[in-house]
């Protein structure tokens, strides 16, 4: 089946979808993105993704290209046209096309691009065995709270992880873990779920917010604080969260087994809880 993409008001086969070579997303990475999970043909945690999109656009002074109701309909139409039962919808907004110059162009119209990816999320086989993680230096800019399309540092981090036979990179600054290449990072010690607090140092994950809320509702102890690589290596369990992986146990960091080297009970339980929540609340 031919995949259908959306570009600036038009649905077209993915191979025919086009954007201007003067688009500032292409020239300057002047744009933001979101990725929403699809379960049972519905959008999971969608409201959180839209809220974060508005925040990112506001920080970059980019006007929303369409209203929220229309944006939801575009998502749903793409899911329908691509017959996606389970997978992802990728959305990107850029400042638009204009002559190449660093200051914002006065008359540029924001560009809106969406496409889908079919992916096994709820029953992903890797969840049964867990992720292996490689730590790398965090070389990113200072506004990591904006979901910018400028992802070269993350690409290099995740390639370094892949080259080492790992599934994810954890970025490290001054000996402390910031976050994963495309996920938020957590450790579990003595029953406490420990993760870095939201700030400009990390992206405020939508799955992260849901998981922490669900954990608190079940009287699980959550401690939002910075943790070191050494603490991670000595943890009882570890995991990551993202829209593309939900809750994913981590069983190895830099070649050292975490806990017993298999997904731990807390991470496994959180994954079950989150998937139940995502299914029941998807729209």
């Amino acid at each position: 089946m031919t995949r259908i993409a959306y570009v600036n008001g038009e649905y077209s086969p993915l191979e025919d979808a086009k954007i201007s070579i003067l688009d500032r997303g292409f020239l300057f990475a002047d744009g933001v993105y979101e990725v929403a999970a699809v379960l049972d043909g519905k959008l999971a945690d969608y409201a959180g993704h839209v809220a974060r999109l508005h925040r990112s656009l506001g920080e970059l002074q980019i006007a929303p290209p369409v209203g929220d109701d229309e944006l939801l309909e575009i998502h749903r139409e793409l899911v329908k046209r691509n017959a996606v039962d389970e997978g992802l919808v990728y959305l990107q907004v850029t400042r638009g096309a204009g002559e190449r110059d660093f200051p914002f162009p006065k008359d540029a119209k924001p560009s809106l691009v969406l496409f889908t990816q079919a992916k096994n999320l709820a029953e992903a086989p890797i969840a049964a065995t867990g992720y292996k993680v490689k730590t790398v230096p965090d070389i990113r800019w200072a506004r990591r709270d904006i979901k910018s399309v400028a992802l070269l540092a993350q690409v290099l981090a995740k390639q370094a992880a892949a080259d080492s036979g790992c599934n994810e990179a954890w970025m490290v600054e001054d000996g402390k873990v910031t976050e994963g290449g495309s996920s938020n990072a957590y450790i579990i010690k003595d029953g406490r779920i420990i993760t870095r607090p939201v700030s400009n140092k990390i992206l405020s994950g939508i799955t992260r917010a849901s998981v922490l809320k669900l954990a608190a509702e079940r009287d699980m102890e959550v401690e939002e604080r910075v943790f070191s690589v050494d603490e991670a290596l000595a943890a009882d369990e570890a995991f990551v969260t993202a829209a593309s992986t939900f809750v994913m146990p981590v069983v190895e960091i830099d070649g050292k087994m975490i806990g017993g080297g298999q997904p731990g009970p807390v991470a496994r339980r959180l994954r079950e809880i989150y998937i139940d929540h995502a299914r029941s609340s998807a729209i």
Side-chain angles (χ1 to χ4, degrees):
M1 179 176 129
T2 300
R3 288 165 66 192
I4 303 299
Y6 174 97
V7 179
N8 293 332
E10 295 186 2
Y11 295 93
S12 63
L14 188 65
E15 58 270 21
D16 296 331
K18 300 291 190 296
I19 200 80
S20 170
I21 63 169
L22 292 179
D23 189 272
R24 289 176 63 92
F26 173 66
L27 295 175
F28 296 110
D30 188 1
V32 301
Y33 75 103
E34 283 292 335
V35 180
V38 178
L39 278 175
D40 305 323
K42 297 181 180 181
L43 300 158
D45 271 340
Y46 180 76
H49 288 288
V50 173
R52 186 173 62 183
L53 174 66
H54 280 295
R55 182 184 183 279
S56 293
L57 290 172
E59 292 298 301
L60 296 186
Q61 301 174 49
I62 298 175
V66 298
D68 288 353
D69 289 344
E70 184 176 355
L71 189 62
L72 175 57
E73 286 309 308
I74 294 168
H75 276 76
R76 285 174 165 167
E77 183 65 19
L78 271 183
V79 169
K80 178 182 176 181
R81 291 194 184 208
N82 290 287
V84 179
D85 182 66
E86 190 164 311
L88 305 166
V89 179
Y90 177 90
L91 172 156
Q92 179 169 301
V93 180
T94 74
R95 200 175 304 279
E99 195 60 46
R100 189 184 185 281
D101 195 8
F102 285 85
F104 301 164
K106 288 184 172 58
D107 301 319
K109 182 181 178 180
S111 291
L112 175 62
V113 173
L114 294 92
F115 59 85
T116 64
Q117 295 173 297
K119 184 177 182 181
N120 187 346
L121 299 175
E123 302 298 332
I126 189 66
T129 54
Y131 267 14
K132 296 180 180 180
V133 163
K134 177 180 175 63
T135 60
V136 299
D138 197 333
I139 59 174
R140 298 172 298 161
W141 72 324
R143 291 302 309 275
R144 302 161 191 168
D145 55 305
I146 299 172
K147 199 167 177 66
S148 164
V149 296
L151 295 171
L152 184 57
Q154 289 93 319
V155 168
L156 295 174
K158 291 180 79 74
Q159 185 60 45
D163 289 343
S164 297
C166 294
N167 310 97
E168 176 62 300
W170 275 10
M171 294 178 283
V172 177
E173 193 170 60
D174 300 324
K176 305 295 193 291
V177 175
T178 49
E179 59 189 335
S182 59
S183 61
N184 291 115
Y186 310 73
I187 59 173
I188 300 168
K189 188 67 176 179
D190 298 328
R192 296 191 314 278
I193 301 166
I194 302 168
T195 191
R196 193 172 188 120
V198 170
S199 71
N200 288 359
K201 293 282 190 181
I202 67 168
L203 182 70
S204 180
I206 303 306
T207 306
R208 173 192 184 278
S210 290
V211 167
L212 294 186
K213 181 175 183 291
L214 292 166
E217 289 173 353
R218 287 155 179 79
D219 295 323
M220 296 179 175
E221 187 176 354
V222 176
E223 187 175 350
E224 294 186 70
R225 66 166 176 84
V226 173
F227 63 87
S228 68
V229 175
D230 287 342
E231 282 185 277
L233 293 174
D236 300 325
E237 297 182 45
F239 65 95
V240 298
T241 61
S244 57
T245 58
F246 299 157
V247 178
M248 186 62 65
V250 170
V251 299
E252 182 182 300
I253 301 173
D254 289 341
K256 183 182 184 300
M257 285 196 311
I258 305 304
Q262 64 274 331
V266 177
R268 286 189 278 110
R269 179 60 180 145
L270 285 172
R271 181 175 175 83
E272 293 171 357
I273 291 168
Y274 178 77
I275 291 173
D276 286 346
H277 155 79
R279 286 194 191 281
S280 64
S281 62
I283 62 172

